[in-house]
């Protein structure tokens, strides 16, 4: 089957989830990836991406703006490839996918559902709502990356009979446990991986970690970048246990996870947005590292509370501190057992291999 994977904006990293199933199923189907604008920073991606706005056409913010203007060319390129099926990621930016006139599968990732709910009057908001209406009309199947997102999408107007949950999964052959001896040579470490923003709860993690440090000494390693950079660097300057690692390549993220006592992602409500899934929670657990998250959005669906990690009430920084303390002081044998359960669960329930097999079944049902 010839499958066109389509989207609007495609920066890789971090949005591997748009292409990972095509890579996994490359021996089964023929794939081509079409984006209005792409930025590929991974030389080992192994998949060509057709970007209407060329990579050399200026800065990424500028190219993102140009992407609004190239819808017809995006559509022409998709149609000219003559796919048997189109898989659109995000219900926004979908004009090209819809115009192909082929069976259409759409995966919702969260931003698009927020856009569907929005009543903002800006031109961009109106542009997204038009795209979403076309997606709803023409999609043969709508896949949501969590039960939380599926329910929210249905409430926003997506037809319940066409919406199904499809967990994205992560590559458990790549995200694997590291050398326990090497990880144990340093002070116990917590790690945060993600956008440095209030939506990801980094400000509350910093507060909880600082309050906990005197009682339970540890390191807090912060990976990523974002608008809270000033607060992160100020915290690191005042509190030496906070380590700023900044943006890391994929292998660097894996190394940071492998060296951690726990991955912490206190993701939370921010301007109508909640985490749709939180794949980094799965990546950590696949590395044998328990995860801590808030009971917010789809994040709790990525952790088995009390078995593979801990889920605490949203915005409850006291409970967050208790969860950090619990995993930092968990006896070594119990921590190893929790990490082993975490990996086993991700391999069985949230692996990319399983997710790709499920997606292949969706493709065949829709196309057949």
């Amino acid at each position: 089957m010839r499958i066109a994977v389509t989207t609007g904006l495609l920066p890789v990293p971090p949005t591997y989830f748009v292409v990972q199933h095509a890579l996994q199923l490359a021996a089964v189907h023929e794939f081509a990836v079409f984006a209005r604008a792409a930025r590929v920073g991974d030389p080992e991606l192994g998949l060509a991406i057709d970007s209407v706005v060329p990579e050399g056409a200026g800065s990424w913010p500028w190219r993102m703006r140009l992407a609004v203007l190239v819808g017809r060319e995006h559509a022409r390129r998709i149609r000219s490839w003559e796919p048997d099926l189109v898989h659109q990621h995000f219900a926004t930016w979908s004009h090209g996918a819809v115009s192909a006139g082929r069976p259409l599968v759409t995966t919702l990732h969260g931003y698009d559902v927020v856009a569907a709910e929005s009543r903002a009057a800006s031109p961009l908001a109106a542009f997204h709502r038009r795209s979403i209406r076309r997606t709803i009309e023409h999609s043969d199947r709508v896949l949501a990356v969590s039960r939380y997102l599926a329910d929210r999408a249905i409430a926003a107007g997506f037809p319940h009979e066409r919406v199904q949950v499809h967990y994205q999964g992560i590559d458990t052959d790549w995200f694997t446990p590291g050398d326990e001896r090497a990880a144990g040579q340093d002070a116990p470490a917590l790690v945060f991986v993600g956008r440095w923003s209030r939506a990801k709860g980094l400000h509350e993690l910093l507060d909880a970690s600082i309050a906990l440090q005197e009682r339970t000494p540890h390191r807090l390693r912060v990976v990523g970048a974002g608008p809270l950079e000033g607060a992160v660097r100020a915290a690191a300057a005042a509190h030496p246990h906070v380590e700023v690692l900044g943006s890391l390549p994929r292998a660097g993220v894996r190394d940071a996870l492998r060296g951690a006592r726990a991955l912490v992602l206190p993701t939370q409500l921010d301007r109508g947005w909640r985490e749709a899934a939180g794949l980094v929670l799965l990546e950590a657990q696949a590395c044998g590292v328990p995860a801590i998250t808030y009971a917010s959005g789809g994040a709790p669906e990525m952790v088995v509370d009390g078995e593979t990690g801990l889920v605490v009430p949203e915005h409850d920084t006291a409970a967050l501190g208790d969860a950090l303390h619990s995993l930092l002081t968990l006896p070594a044998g119990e921590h190893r057992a929790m990490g082993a359960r975490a990996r086993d669960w991700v391999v069985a329930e949230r692996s990319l291999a399983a997710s790709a097999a499920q997606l292949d079944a969706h493709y065949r049902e829709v196309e057949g």
Side-chain angles (χ1 to χ4, degrees):
M1 196 185 309
R2 286 166 64 86
I3 299 173
V5 178
T6 61
T7 194
L9 307 175
L10 183 55
V12 181
T15 52
Y16 286 98
F17 55 79
V18 171
V19 298
Q20 64 181 2
H21 293 93
L23 291 166
Q24 188 77 11
L25 293 170
V28 181
H29 303 293
E30 182 181 0
F31 288 91
V33 181
F34 298 89
R36 290 191 180 209
R39 181 189 65 192
V40 181
D42 185 345
E44 300 180 357
L45 183 62
L47 187 66
I49 296 174
D50 183 316
S51 177
V52 179
V53 180
E55 293 239 13
S59 68
W60 179 239
W62 172 246
R63 292 171 60 219
M64 289 170 65
R65 289 193 288 273
L66 290 178
V68 177
L69 307 176
V70 299
R72 289 184 178 178
E73 176 61 15
H74 188 226
R76 187 195 68 77
R77 295 187 187 191
I78 296 167
R79 288 195 304 270
S80 67
W81 193 66
E82 297 184 348
D84 298 310
L85 180 145
V86 177
H87 184 176
Q88 167 71 16
H89 284 269
F90 295 95
T92 51
W93 306 95
S94 64
H95 171 73
V98 168
S99 75
R102 298 294 192 272
L104 177 61
V105 174
T106 300
T107 293
L108 306 177
H109 293 281
Y111 169 79
D112 38 11
V113 176
V114 174
E117 297 167 336
S118 172
R119 296 296 176 264
S122 70
L124 182 60
F127 170 79
H128 284 327
R129 284 196 294 271
R130 287 195 299 272
S131 177
I132 291 165
R133 284 195 296 270
R134 289 170 62 85
T135 305
I136 290 173
E137 180 180 354
H138 291 278
S139 293
D140 297 279
R141 184 157 300 176
V142 178
L143 304 177
V145 299
S146 63
R147 180 73 262 166
Y148 158 78
L149 190 63
D151 292 342
R152 189 164 170 176
I154 292 167
F158 287 85
H160 68 88
E161 68 276 7
R162 282 184 267 154
V163 176
Q164 296 190 31
V165 176
H166 178 236
Y167 294 113
Q168 294 288 279
I170 57 102
D171 188 348
T172 54
D173 292 329
W174 200 86
F175 286 101
T176 57
D179 187 334
E180 185 178 346
R181 291 171 300 174
Q185 289 173 359
D186 203 353
L190 305 169
V191 66
F192 170 93
V193 178
R195 180 169 167 77
W196 296 355
S197 66
R198 297 184 70 83
K200 297 291 185 176
L202 181 54
H203 58 301
E204 294 189 358
L205 173 57
L206 287 169
D207 290 345
S209 173
I210 291 166
L212 181 65
Q213 175 64 7
E214 184 174 351
R215 174 167 64 118
T216 312
H218 64 281
R219 297 178 185 274
L220 174 62
R221 295 179 174 139
V222 186
V223 178
L228 293 184
E229 180 175 355
V232 171
R233 296 196 179 278
H239 304 278
H241 79 284
V242 178
E243 300 178 7
V244 180
L245 301 187
S247 297
L248 296 176
R250 191 165 177 245
V253 171
R254 181 177 61 179
D255 289 344
L257 293 173
R258 286 173 168 175
R261 186 76 171 173
L263 178 280
V264 191
L265 184 71
T267 179
Q268 56 193 254
L269 178 65
D270 183 67
R271 291 173 293 183
W273 176 93
R274 274 196 168 98
E275 192 81 52
L279 293 181
V280 71
L281 296 165
L282 302 179
E283 293 168 354
Q285 292 171 92
C287 292
V289 175
I292 299 171
T293 193
Y294 276 158
S296 179
E301 298 175 52
M302 307 301 140
V303 179
V304 182
D305 187 24
E307 294 293 322
T308 72
L310 299 173
V311 178
V312 299
E314 188 174 11
H315 295 307
D316 190 338
T317 54
L320 179 61
D322 289 343
L324 303 182
H325 173 77
S326 176
L327 290 191
L328 285 168
T329 60
L330 195 65
E334 294 181 30
H335 185 269
R336 281 193 299 271
M338 178 175 276
R341 289 195 300 270
R343 174 159 177 86
D344 289 347
W345 178 74
V346 174
V347 170
E349 302 292 338
R350 298 288 188 273
S351 71
L352 177 57
S355 178
Q358 293 160 7
L359 183 61
D360 182 44
H362 285 298
Y363 287 160
R364 294 177 189 276
E365 289 174 12
V366 170
E367 197 274 339

